[in-house]
Structures are given as structure tokens and as C-alpha cells.
Amino acid sequence: MTGKAAVTTALESSYRVVVIGAGLAGVSAANALLASGQFTANDVCVLEAQSRIGGRIQTQAFSKTLPVNVEVGAAWIHGTEGNPFTKLAQKFGIAFKEVSPRNPWLHPGSCSDFLFFDSREQLADELVMETWEWQDLLMRKLQTLATSDKSSDHDEKALSAIVDHLVASDPELRDVVKGPNAQARMDLCLRLIEVWMGVSDNAIQLDDFTEIDLIGDNPGAHCIVPSGMERFIDHLAESVKETIHTNTCVASINYDGPAGVVIECTDGQRVTADHVVVTCSLGFLKSGRLHFQPELPVAKATAVKRSQMGQYMKILVEFPKVFWPENATFMAQLKDRSNSKDDTERRIYFPVVFNYYFAKGVPIIEGVLVGEKASEVSTTFSDDEIARALFLQLQDTFGPDIPEPVNHFITRWDQDEWAVGAYSCLTVESSNEDPEILRQTVANRVLFAGEATVYKYQGSLQAAYLSGIPVLILLFALQRTTLQHSDIMPDLTAEAFETPLTSSYRVAVIGAGLAGVSATNALLASGHFGASDVCLLEAQSRIGGRVHTQSFSDTLPVNVEVGAAWIHGTEGNPFAKLAQKFGIAFKEISPRNPWLHPGSCSDFLLFEGSRQLSDQQAAETWEWQDLLMRKLQALARAADRDGHGDKSVAAVVDDLVASDPQLVEVMAGVNARERLDLFLRLIEAWMGLTADDLNLDAFVETDLMGDDPGAHCIVPAGMERFIDHLSEPLKDVIHTNVSVSAINYDGPDGVVIECTDGRTVTADRVIVATSLGFLQTGRLHFQPELPSVKTGAIKRSKMGQYMKVLVQFPEVFWPKQATFMAQIQDNSSASDCNGRRIYFPLIFNYYLAKNVPILEGVLIGDKASEISASFTDEEIAHALFLQMQDTFGLDIPEPWSVGAYSCVTVQNAYEDPNVLKQTVANRVLFAGEAANLKYQGALQAAYFSGA
Ligand SMILES: Cc1cc2nc3c(=O)[nH]c(=O)nc-3n(C[C@H](O)[C@H](O)[C@H](O)COP(=O)(O)OP(=O)(O)OC[C@H]3O[C@@H](n4cnc5c(N)ncnc54)[C@H](O)[C@@H]3O)c2cc1C
């Protein structure tokens, strides 16, 4: 649709909502409106001036002869953690390519192969590292200054002047910033900050540094999108395409009349609407080409005037071949020769260039110009001259013999009639309240969205996307309609809209894993607690805890579950109901529990080395296992457990096969012991503990813990969807990145909760929903100490280990219909092979589950801990490959890529869950999967314990 969006439906004369602009914010707003179920495509209309949609997202081919995707506009996903684009990418199957694990402009030390040159000389790694240390130090000093009472002394100063002042006056900086090229290297640090902010240093204000990270600097990796940023627009626009009318430019908005808002277009068309959502860029608003009648309120008009658009110019130059270090990410040139008089040609200084070869495998170098420099170059240089200037600088770096460029591609957003600049930014003239003012609704009718309206992520894609969503809430508020579920809403939990933490609550919930989210949800749903009564504190930047779905890899963006993956038994399982409510689909793998009743699971294949056991032998194996299970249960329920009370399950099985007449008979069969041992391995996979660590307690119930009746399923859309939906009503109460360090439940004012960042919160009651493992670390201090029965149970209970090993192959070489494949031959001690061995008793076929050539092995308990500590990911993947060679022959293809994930479940003494659950001093409640015996370790346990 992008680039050729045709008007499919004619423009009606009136709508409930008209959105102006089909850039990211406009499309996101329309999407949220329709997804809410409260608006139909007939109620909403999006008017876009251009013939294409996407606005400042625009992907196109570099040239006819080199049709690689280049981004005219937004190119980077800035920080993947907590970024709604990470979720959208998963949802739409869009892959990211990581360039740097952190922000390469603000934390360049994190970015590998960021090379430095002083003319032709490449600087030693130590000097580069030293420079990045200076930058870190400088950023910290700027923060200290920005938050000090001296900050106003520097109000009028350009950043470079402040930095000069700091370097001269701060003893620490003065001491370290010296040595070869000190000044030039320090300047480069400034240039990087400029690139990040999109303005020249004289326009950057000290205020920008008050936040720990600069505006928009999300945690997580910084990535590009190889298939093109426009894919996001394509997907988001798909469900709203009927509402979009391209080639329709709005000239005026009259919001004063009796018939609602009247919107006039430049071609004379006129539409009315109850509400209008303005998403055109700040640059366009500043141009004055959109007339408001009556004029906008003074505060808004002043904010529009005062706020500035930054400039960002990209210069992509293609060469016949790569003559620079192929592995470089960025290359910085310290020597600025733009003012040198000995050149016959005009010069431009590009402080840092980006290696497109690293990004996309093509011989292109990208230079970037920002701020005033960009405007100046854009108005006075031709494309050829700019490309030539970049070539000259590369000659300075790599010598005069480098090949001449063959082509170039240059963006000039300052001259774009609709964007009028690249993105908004805070400058010395503006205030950090401006985005908020720009967002304010006028006369209850005119709403505003767009990247300039969200302070926290100003200028970025997140800002544009997130700004579109609250439009929905506002509309509901204005229309007094109730909020309904929508697919988009989960992103509202994003920090951008977090309500600040206040000092006291009725209930504080600690930990936003499933139990914490479910507890909070139950509190709010009860009607007895409002959003201001409750807070949910989460240490990580994401919620969900051990429910965590992510993309397998950049190139294979299929959902994989880092944590919980299975719905264990659909009958009576609250998740079956939740799935129905939220429209989340299950994919059934087995009609019953495949670990405890593998006979019920079709195509559960058994191998002994390379020989596949016959169906008959497999069926016989499952019968033996049923028998063994029944024997273990009988023993577990016997009054004195026949003297087996303290033994491990492994030892009990040894006793049984030697003494129980029925089992003794079984032992006469072919491979009987190996096949019975497989039973133990399956029990281990189910329980997350090895048979040496398990005791008969686990077998008391008719079905083992958590073994609900019904099918065992996976969730193709990702288990995190449940968290998304359950947390939807909690957006005002969730506080991420808040790590609780102490709970004092003895004082007169209720419970005092201390956080690691020094904040304290009081509450009448606290619900502790952190994992047992975290309680065991002792990092959460209770004052007074917890009662000794409770601490005893915490100490005694054990966290199980569960390590998933996912290995991607170029193609499927195993039986495609297989569910699980069990290998009864343990070759882990074999020494005849080129690689360390690990035994994977059970392999799950991801092809059946998700149509991708991936196999999943699972390691449990101490074995998992041991392997995790002593093998690398590659070695583990190789070990799985070796075992596959044992099974399917030497000619199977080598693996491509591997993902190893560890998670922990819990296991403890029979009565411990009840102890763990007990409330302390009527004030401290406990929830979490460890506090529910029946489903211990499973999602249900966490969910029920919370509710
Ligand atoms: C060169 C460049 C590089 C960038 N790099 C990044 C990056 O790497 N990462 C990142 O996160 N962000 C980046 N950004 C920022 C990001 O692109 C924007 O924040 C985002 O795309 C803005 O979306 P928007 O919907 O707010 O505005 P726009 O995309 O500007 O959408 C506004 C729409 O309104 C339309 N319009 C304007 N006036 C009218 C009118 N009168 N009538 C009808 N329609 C109208 C326009 O045609 C346009 O389609 C970059 C931007 C640029 C320019």
C-alpha cells in the first residue's frame, strides 16, 4: 500500500473522527480507533496530503542497478527493550539486525568495531576506549551539572561552551582529558551527541541531560530493519486502508461551529467530524499552512513557535568495491578539513560515517549531517558536490587511490514540503513541557498526536506510534464511552505513559510476573480498589517475568518462548477461558500430557541410535511407563511408603525393577532398562528436577502436580499475549525499573517498602510476588525477619532448572510429522567424536509447532546448571547436532543458529507451598507459582496464587 495508496472509497461528508496525516502517528491512531471495536471504518477517515502514506517513514531502492533497501527517513530502532516496535516486529514477523548492543552515539564504547582515524592513521584501540571513557565521564558530569542549582548559570550557553567550561574547571575531567588528540577526541564526543539530538551543539540545552539517559535512549540494542521500515506502515495500515484518502491536503480546521469540526481541503472538499486528530509534523504546523479557526490558544501557538525541527541529512555514496574495513560499524575522522584553504574543491566535514557494507552487504558509505550544518549544506551544495566532499574525506582516510564513487543518494528533509525538517527536538529556545502542550486537546474537539507530542521519546518512532494511541483514550473520555479491549492497548504499559510513583498506597504488589499481574488485576476488578490505591512494582524494564516471548533471531523472526511455553491441560485450566476472552489461539500438540502419558501423543518417535523402534515397541514402552507410574503412586500413598520414604525417585525405581514381580518381568524385554529410564527422563522434563532430586511426594496425587486433564498446547502468538491482555487494565499502576530492596512491616504507618534507587513507598499491605529463587538470594530484606517456618520453607524449597536449546538447521531432515523424538541411547560419554557430548533424551520438533527447521532439546536440574556453566552456546548446539547425526546419519546439514534459554521452576516439600503462601503479620501476603501446591511450577499456579 505504501507509496501507491489509492483512494478506494469516496470521501463522505461527515465522520466521527477525521485524522490528518497518514504518517506513523496517524496510522497508529486510526488503527487504535478501529481495533477498539467502538469505531467502524465508516466512522473514521484519514486524510493524507501526499500520494503515499508513511510520512517520515520511507523505504526505497538505492538505485535501479543496486536495488537494496535504503531508508529515506527513520532507519533505526533505538533500543529494543520496552520499545513497542519490538512487539510489533514480532507480531508482523519483521526482523531486526542489531548494530550495537546499546546506543552507539551515546555509549559508543558498547559498539564493536567503531574505528577512529586521524587523517590516515588509525588510532589504537586503547585511545578509542579512552575516548569512550571520557564521553561517559562527560555525560555524567553534564548530568550532575544539569541537576545542580548551578544549571541556570549555563542557560544561555551552547553545549560546546559548557563542555569547555567543564574540561577546564572539573578536576576529574581536567586530569583525564589529555594525551594525543585530546581536544579532537573530546570534540568527536560532542559530534556524536549532536547526531543523536539532530541539532548543532549550540542549540542543545543543558536540561536535556537531566534524565539518566538522553531523550529517547531506550535500553537495549540499536538495530536496523533489513526488509525496510515501511513494512511497519504496511502492516499497521492494512486494517485501516479503507479509511485512508491520499492526495488530500487539509488547508483549514474550523472547530467553533455548531455542526462539529469543519475540515477544508486545498481541492475544495469539505468534511465535518465530531473530532479531528492533527498528526502533521511540527514543521508543517510551524509553516502556518494549516489554518485554525478560531486561532489556536496562545499557549499552544507559542509552543509551536518555540519548538524547533532538527535537521538530519543522509549522504549515501556507492563505490565499485569496499576499500574500508568490512567489519567496521562506524568510522570516525578526527581531522576536520572543511575549512582548509589548500583545497580547490569545497569541503564538508563528516565526523562519523556508517558502514553500509556491515549493515547490508553493499559497498556504500553513509555520512550524516545534522542541525544548522545540514541546513547550510542543503541550501548551498548540489548532490554531486556533497557526494564528492564525502569522497574527498575518504581519500584523506584511505589514501588517494580509492576508487571514484559510482552513485549517490541524498536526503533533504528540510526541503520536504510536508515534514519541513527531520524531527522535533528540544533546543535552547524550547522547554521540556512543550511536547505536553503540543499534545493538549483544544476545545474538546481538536486532538494532537505525532512525534513532537511525547517528551520521553521525542523525535523517534516510538513517540509517533505511542502518541497515536492515547488519542483513543481521550476520545473515549470525551465521549464517556467505556474502554474496550483492543489489540494495540498493551503498548500503553510502555513507560512513556507511566503514572509517577506516589508515596502511599493501600496495596503494593512486588513483581509483575504472572502472579503479580493477576493479583493486581483481581484487586482492580473487585471494584474495591481504584488505580490510585494500588501499585505494582517491577524491577525489570519489561513485565511478564518468566513469561517471555521473543524472536528466535534476526533472520528467523519466529516467536520462541524463553520461559513458559505450554498450556498444560486445557480442561478446567483458567488459561483456556482467558484465551477465549482475549482471542488467543492454542495449537494442540497432544491430547494428554505428552511427558506423563506419551502414549497419547501421536508421532512420538523412539530411537535407539539410528534405529527407529517399531510402533509396537513404542506402544509397549508406554505401557511399561504407565505401569511404573502406577507402582510409584501406590508406593507414595502407602502408609509407610514401604521404607522408601527418604529415597530419591531414581533409587526407588531401581528397587522396584529388582523387586516388583510385574516390573521384574518387564525387565526381560529388549532394551527394557533404557526404555524405563526414558520414563525417568520424561518425568524429569515434566518436573524440572532430576530423578535424583525428586522424592515420592511428587507422586501422591493421581496425576502428577499440574497435570490437568485435557490437551497440551502451545501458543503460536506467544505466551506474552496473556500478560499483554491481563496488564491492559493496569497501565496506571505498573511501575517498571523499580527494584524493591527492603520491606519493613513493623512500623506504625503500615508497610514501608524501600527501593534500590532510594525511593520509599508505604502501603497498608504488600503482596510479594517475586520468584522463590529471588527470595532465596536474600536480596529482599524483611524487617523484622520473616518467621522461621517461612524462612525454613524458603531455604528448603528448590528452584528447578530448565534449559531450552533451540537449534536452527537449513532444512528439515527429520520426520516432519514427529511431535517428540526420544533417543534411548545415551552417548554422552562417547569419546570417539569431534566435540563434547551432551545427552538430550527428548527432542521437540519445532517444525510441527511452527513450520520452521528448528529442533528443541531440553536439559533439566543439575545437568542443566552444569552444562550452562561449562559449555558455550555453540558447544551445546554442536552436541545436539552430534546426537542428530547418531540418529539420522552423518550427512545431515550443519546447524545455522542457536538459541539457549534457561528458566527456573520450583520444587519443594509437600507442605511448603502452604507455608510459602501464609500471610505474615496480616500485612505481608505472598503469591507466585511456588505458593500453590496443586499446580506448582505451572502458569496456573502463578495465576491462581495471584487471583
Ligand atoms: C532523516 C530522518 C531520520 C530519522 N531516523 C529515525 C530513526 O532512525 N529512528 C527513529 O526512531 N526515528 C527516526 N526519525 C523520526 C521518525 O521518522 C519520526 O518520528 C516519525 O516517522 C514521525 O511520524 P509522525 O506520524 O509523527 O509524522 P510524519 O511521518 O511526518 O507524518 C505526518 C503525515 O502528515 C501528512 N500531512 C502533513 N500536512 C498535512 C495536511 N495539511 N493534510 C494532510 N496530510 C498532511 C504528511 O504528508 C505525513 O504523511 C527520523 C526522521 C528523519 C526525517
Side-chain angles (χ1 to χ4, degrees):
M1 179 166 194
T2 322
K4 51 183 181 308
V7 183
T8 43
T9 38
L11 208 51
E12 299 290 331
S13 59
S14 87
Y15 294 90
R16 284 172 65 196
V17 184
V18 167
V19 179
I20 301 181
L24 183 57
V27 169
S28 150
N31 208 304
L33 290 171
L34 294 206
S36 72
Q38 303 281 323
F39 295 84
T40 67
N42 295 329
D43 297 329
V44 178
C45 135
V46 182
L47 303 177
E48 168 55 54
Q50 302 185 60
S51 59
R52 51 172 280 278
I53 64 169
R56 281 169 279 168
I57 294 186
Q58 189 182 357
T59 310
Q60 68 181 55
F62 178 76
S63 69
K64 278 212 175 92
T65 47
L66 189 65
V68 59
N69 282 333
V70 297
E71 304 292 358
V72 185
W76 292 84
I77 300 295
H78 292 309
T80 45
E81 279 172 35
N83 189 326
F85 278 79
T86 309
K87 278 211 181 136
L88 290 177
Q90 254 170 26
K91 181 165 162 192
F92 301 143
I94 299 173
F96 291 167
K97 183 181 166 97
E98 177 176 324
V99 175
S100 178
R102 286 188 74 189
N103 187 320
W105 302 275
L106 301 182
H107 310 288
S110 67
C111 181
S112 67
D113 296 294
F114 196 127
L115 312 182
F116 258 53
F117 294 85
D118 181 4
S119 293
R120 291 186 61 177
E121 183 203 344
Q122 188 181 335
L123 266 61
D125 288 351
E126 301 85 77
L127 290 182
V128 178
M129 285 323 291
E130 186 184 53
T131 312
W132 303 147
E133 280 160 23
W134 297 352
Q135 173 151 7
D136 258 359
L137 184 63
L138 176 66
M139 297 281 281
R140 275 184 283 121
K141 295 287 171 190
L142 284 167
Q143 264 152 24
T144 313
L145 190 60
T147 48
S148 78
D149 48 8
K150 295 218 177 65
S151 68
S152 54
D153 299 353
H154 301 278
D155 273 353
E156 306 297 318
K157 284 191 200 156
L159 186 61
S160 54
I162 300 173
V163 171
D164 287 347
H165 161 80
L166 277 175
V167 175
S169 64
D170 182 276
E172 215 184 335
L173 269 170
R174 203 174 41 211
D175 253 20
V176 293
V177 182
K178 51 188 172 200
N181 304 314
Q183 181 66 42
R185 287 191 280 149
M186 203 63 197
D187 283 348
L188 187 81
C189 298
L190 270 182
R191 300 290 87 75
L192 287 174
I193 297 175
E194 285 181 343
V195 174
W196 175 249
M197 303 294 288
V199 281
S200 312
D201 78 75
N202 58 4
I204 300 175
Q205 53 164 304
L206 192 56
D207 265 3
D208 294 341
F209 296 87
T210 36
E211 300 279 322
I212 311 265
D213 283 314
L214 291 202
I215 297 170
D217 183 22
N218 268 342
H222 285 236
C223 307
I224 55 166
V225 182
S227 61
M229 202 61 92
E230 257 188 24
R231 297 289 80 73
F232 284 102
I233 291 288
D234 291 345
H235 282 281
L236 288 169
E238 188 53 39
S239 50
V240 297
K241 57 181 176 229
E242 285 160 62
T243 67
I244 301 177
H245 301 261
T246 49
N247 294 314
T248 312
C249 175
V250 174
S252 72
I253 296 173
N254 183 326
Y255 59 92
D256 204 18
V261 187
V262 181
I263 296 137
E264 274 186 353
C265 305
T266 48
D267 61 4
Q269 291 191 86
R270 175 195 280 247
V271 279
T272 60
D274 298 340
H275 294 99
V276 61
V277 183
V278 180
T279 78
C280 19
S281 81
L282 171 70
F284 189 82
L285 286 181
K286 287 174 76 70
S287 76
R289 278 156 59 211
L290 184 58
H291 300 280
F292 291 88
Q293 178 62 25
E295 295 223 341
L296 288 176
V298 178
K300 171 94 77 183
T302 318
V304 170
K305 210 162 155 197
R306 188 167 55 207
S307 304
Q308 293 304 321
M309 284 296 274
Q311 301 298 340
Y312 192 102
M313 188 172 191
K314 301 185 190 188
I315 296 97
L316 273 65
V317 180
E318 183 195 357
F319 291 89
K321 62 170 203 250
V322 177
F323 52 81
W324 55 89
E326 287 183 1
N327 58 324
T329 45
F330 294 88
M331 292 178 281
Q333 176 55 265
L334 294 178
K335 187 75 86 253
D336 174 358
R337 291 192 51 191
S338 59
N339 295 322
S340 91
K341 295 270 174 302
D342 54 343
D343 278 307
T344 49
E345 291 177 278
R346 289 212 283 166
R347 286 278 194 161
I348 302 168
Y349 174 45
F350 299 91
V352 179
V353 299
F354 179 58
N355 175 14
Y356 245 71
Y357 184 78
F358 167 82
K360 311 214 167 171
V362 288
I364 290 180
I365 288 282
E366 178 187 78
V368 165
L369 297 171
V370 299
E372 284 165 8
K373 193 81 214 157
S375 314
E376 185 193 312
V377 168
S378 172
T379 47
T380 61
F381 280 74
S382 71
D383 278 9
D384 286 340
E385 282 179 314
I386 302 172
R388 177 87 193 149
L390 185 81
F391 168 70
L392 294 175
Q393 179 170 313
L394 290 174
Q395 276 192 324
D396 295 345
T397 317
F398 297 105
D401 299 334
I402 61 168
E404 291 270 342
V406 286
N407 208 341
H408 54 250
F409 182 101
I410 289 163
T411 67
R412 294 173 192 263
W413 284 95
D414 57 323
Q415 294 172 27
D416 181 273
E417 104 177 88
W418 309 110
V420 203
Y423 40 81
S424 69
C425 52
L426 273 183
T427 70
V428 272
E429 281 108 53
S430 54
S431 119
N432 46 15
E433 274 124 42
D434 285 344
E436 178 66 38
I437 302 174
L438 292 177
R439 191 166 73 229
Q440 273 158 18
T441 301
V442 173
N444 275 351
R445 282 180 166 174
V446 189
L447 289 76
F448 290 81
E451 54 84 11
T453 64
V454 177
Y455 170 65
K456 178 143 196 216
Y457 300 107
Q458 203 183 10
S460 75
L461 292 169
Q462 290 102 290
Y465 176 71
L466 291 168
S467 75
I469 298 169
V471 160
L472 175 70
I473 299 169
L474 263 172
L475 281 177
F476 280 136
L478 294 171
Q479 298 179 343
R480 293 189 184 77
T481 331
T482 38
L483 205 63
Q484 291 262 316
H485 146 254
S486 88
D487 234 359
I488 294 271
M489 298 303 286
D491 292 324
L492 284 173
T493 55
E495 271 174 80
F497 299 102
E498 238 173 47
T499 336
L501 201 55
T502 47
S503 57
S504 91
Y505 293 90
R506 285 172 64 199
V507 183
V509 183
I510 302 177
L514 185 54
V517 166
S518 142
T520 315
N521 202 303
L523 288 171
L524 295 196
S526 72
H528 296 300
F529 297 85
S532 56
D533 296 327
V534 181
C535 71
L536 172 55
L537 308 178
E538 167 57 50
Q540 300 184 59
S541 59
R542 51 169 279 278
I543 61 169
R546 283 171 280 169
V547 174
H548 186 16
T549 309
Q550 72 176 47
S551 198
F552 177 76
S553 70
D554 284 356
T555 47
L556 190 68
V558 59
N559 283 334
V560 296
E561 304 292 357
V562 181
W566 291 84
I567 300 293
H568 292 309
T570 44
E571 280 171 34
N573 188 325
F575 280 83
K577 278 216 181 121
L578 291 176
Q580 249 169 21
K581 180 167 161 194
F582 300 143
I584 301 174
F586 289 168
K587 184 179 166 100
E588 177 177 325
I589 302 293
S590 178
R592 286 188 72 189
N593 185 319
W595 301 274
L596 302 182
H597 309 288
S600 68
C601 180
S602 69
D603 295 294
F604 194 127
L605 312 182
L606 283 172
F607 292 86
E608 182 199 8
S610 62
R611 185 176 74 88
Q612 189 183 333
L613 268 57
S614 69
D615 288 353
Q616 221 178 332
Q617 280 173 310
E620 186 186 47
T621 309
W622 306 143
E623 278 161 26
W624 294 351
Q625 301 209 342
D626 259 359
L627 180 66
L628 183 53
M629 180 78 128
R630 277 183 283 119
K631 297 281 172 195
L632 285 168
Q633 261 156 17
L635 208 51
R637 289 163 169 208
D640 60 350
R641 292 190 176 171
D642 273 355
H644 291 89
D646 298 335
K647 288 191 188 160
S648 72
V649 168
V652 175
V653 170
D654 282 344
D655 289 352
L656 281 176
V657 296
S659 61
D660 181 275
Q662 264 178 303
L663 284 166
V664 169
E665 201 177 309
V666 162
M667 287 298 284
V670 183
N671 294 324
R673 186 63 219 227
E674 285 83 353
R675 289 196 270 160
L676 281 175
D677 278 348
L678 182 69
F679 166 78
L680 287 178
R681 302 293 88 77
L682 290 172
I683 296 278
E684 288 177 344
W686 174 245
M687 303 295 287
L689 277 184
T690 58
D692 292 327
D693 283 330
L694 276 169
N695 65 31
L696 280 175
D697 279 350
F699 293 85
V700 176
E701 301 280 321
T702 315
D703 283 316
L704 291 204
M705 280 170 204
D707 183 22
D708 268 340
H712 285 237
C713 306
I714 57 164
V715 182
M719 203 60 94
E720 255 186 28
R721 299 281 321 269
F722 284 102
I723 295 285
D724 291 345
H725 285 280
L726 288 170
S727 63
E728 216 176 274
L730 314 183
K731 61 182 171 51
D732 292 334
V733 306
I734 295 178
H735 301 267
T736 50
N737 295 314
V738 179
S739 171
V740 172
S741 51
I743 295 176
N744 184 327
Y745 58 94
D746 204 17
D749 306 325
V751 186
V752 181
I753 296 150
E754 280 177 37
C755 309
T756 49
D757 60 7
R759 281 185 285 184
T760 52
V761 172
T762 59
D764 298 341
R765 295 205 157 65
V766 60
I767 299 177
V768 180
T770 59
S771 81
L772 171 68
F774 184 74
L775 289 180
Q776 287 177 332
T777 64
R779 276 157 57 208
L780 185 56
H781 300 279
F782 289 89
Q783 178 61 25
E785 293 222 344
L786 289 175
S788 58
V789 257
K790 176 83 93 182
T791 45
I794 291 176
K795 225 164 150 186
R796 190 166 51 223
S797 305
K798 199 166 156 76
M799 289 297 278
Q801 298 295 335
Y802 193 102
M803 182 174 190
K804 301 185 189 187
V805 180
L806 272 65
V807 182
Q808 180 195 0
F809 291 89
E811 70 201 19
V812 177
F813 55 81
W814 56 89
K816 285 191 174 159
Q817 84 290 1
T819 46
F820 293 90
M821 291 175 279
Q823 176 58 268
I824 60 172
Q825 197 168 290
D826 174 355
N827 271 345
S828 58
S829 322
S831 52
D832 57 332
C833 61
N834 54 349
R836 291 207 283 163
R837 287 282 193 155
I838 300 168
Y839 174 44
F840 297 91
L842 195 62
I843 303 280
F844 179 58
N845 175 16
Y846 244 71
Y847 182 79
L848 173 91
K850 311 217 165 167
N851 261 324
V852 287
I854 290 182
L855 289 176
E856 179 187 84
V858 166
L859 297 168
I860 302 296
D862 291 347
K863 191 84 212 155
S865 315
E866 181 194 316
I867 288 181
S868 170
S870 65
F871 280 73
T872 65
D873 280 8
E874 283 66 32
E875 282 178 314
I876 301 173
H878 189 66
L880 191 132
F881 167 68
L882 292 176
Q883 179 169 318
M884 286 299 113
Q885 279 192 324
D886 295 346
T887 317
F888 297 106
L890 296 177
D891 298 335
I892 61 167
E894 291 266 347
W896 265 355
S897 129
V898 55
Y901 310 105
S902 295
C903 61
V904 274
T905 53
V906 66
Q907 198 60 55
N908 45 9
Y910 198 60
E911 65 285 0
D912 285 343
N914 290 327
V915 179
L916 290 175
K917 193 166 68 190
Q918 275 156 22
T919 299
V920 173
N922 271 350
R923 279 179 167 176
V924 189
L925 289 77
F926 289 80
E929 48 100 17
N932 178 299
L933 173 67
K934 178 150 190 212
Y935 298 106
Q936 202 179 44
L939 288 172
Q940 292 99 297
Y943 180 75
F944 280 136
S945 73

